[in-house]
Amino acid sequence: QVHLVETGGGLVQAGGSLRLSCAASGRTFSNKAIGWFRQVPGKEREFVAAISWSFGVTHYSDSVKGRFTISRDNANNTVFLQMASLKPDDTALYYCVEGGTLRSITAHPDVWGQGTQVTVSS
């Protein structure tokens, strides 16, 4: 099973930007959808974005469309989440996830990373 490690979280002011990275080990992302979920304490984890590793098709939640961009670096087995125009509501623990397809990863990821904290101040 692949092991996912997220980095890049931190504290940023509203309107600022951050880039999260997800590095995989154990095996490659090949033929798997990769994405991001986020969770606020006391709330259910919510889908943020995903990308089809082999074809590059992307999907975003309505709350981040136009502000977040998911991308990949196949050579280094890494996925990125570029976050711009950040809002306080974006504050959450962000998880990198792996799933079989874009459809299935939205609700049922197969593998989870440990998470990286993003905090957006007003």
Side-chain angles (χ1 to χ4, degrees):
Q1 189 171 344
V2 67
H3 182 233
L4 307 175
V5 178
E6 306 95 330
T7 57
L11 176 64
V12 64
Q13 294 186 67
S17 300
L18 283 174
R19 188 178 76 162
L20 306 184
S21 299
C22 173
S25 62
R27 59 171 173 83
T28 69
F29 286 133
S30 184
N31 300 123
K32 296 290 186 179
I34 308 298
W36 296 87
F37 275 68
R38 64 187 182 186
Q39 185 174 33
V40 176
K43 295 185 178 181
E44 184 177 319
R45 291 178 180 181
E46 65 172 346
F47 171 77
V48 176
I51 184 168
S52 175
W53 191 250
S54 297
F55 303 101
V57 180
T58 59
H59 179 62
Y60 299 92
S61 68
D62 291 340
S63 63
V64 306
K65 286 180 181 177
R67 301 187 298 118
F68 290 13
T69 302
I70 187 169
S71 61
R72 68 193 183 206
D73 181 347
N74 292 328
N76 292 299
N77 227 22
T78 304
V79 173
F80 304 99
L81 185 68
Q82 181 67 49
M83 305 183 293
S85 301
L86 284 163
K87 307 173 181 179
D89 285 349
D90 295 319
T91 295
L93 186 64
Y94 283 71
Y95 295 91
C96 181
V97 298
E98 181 192 79
T101 65
L102 285 177
R103 172 182 285 183
S104 65
I105 198 173
T106 301
H108 304 289
D110 297 317
V111 182
W112 295 78
Q114 86 288 349
T116 186
Q117 179 67 37
V118 173
T119 302
V120 184
S121 62
S122 301

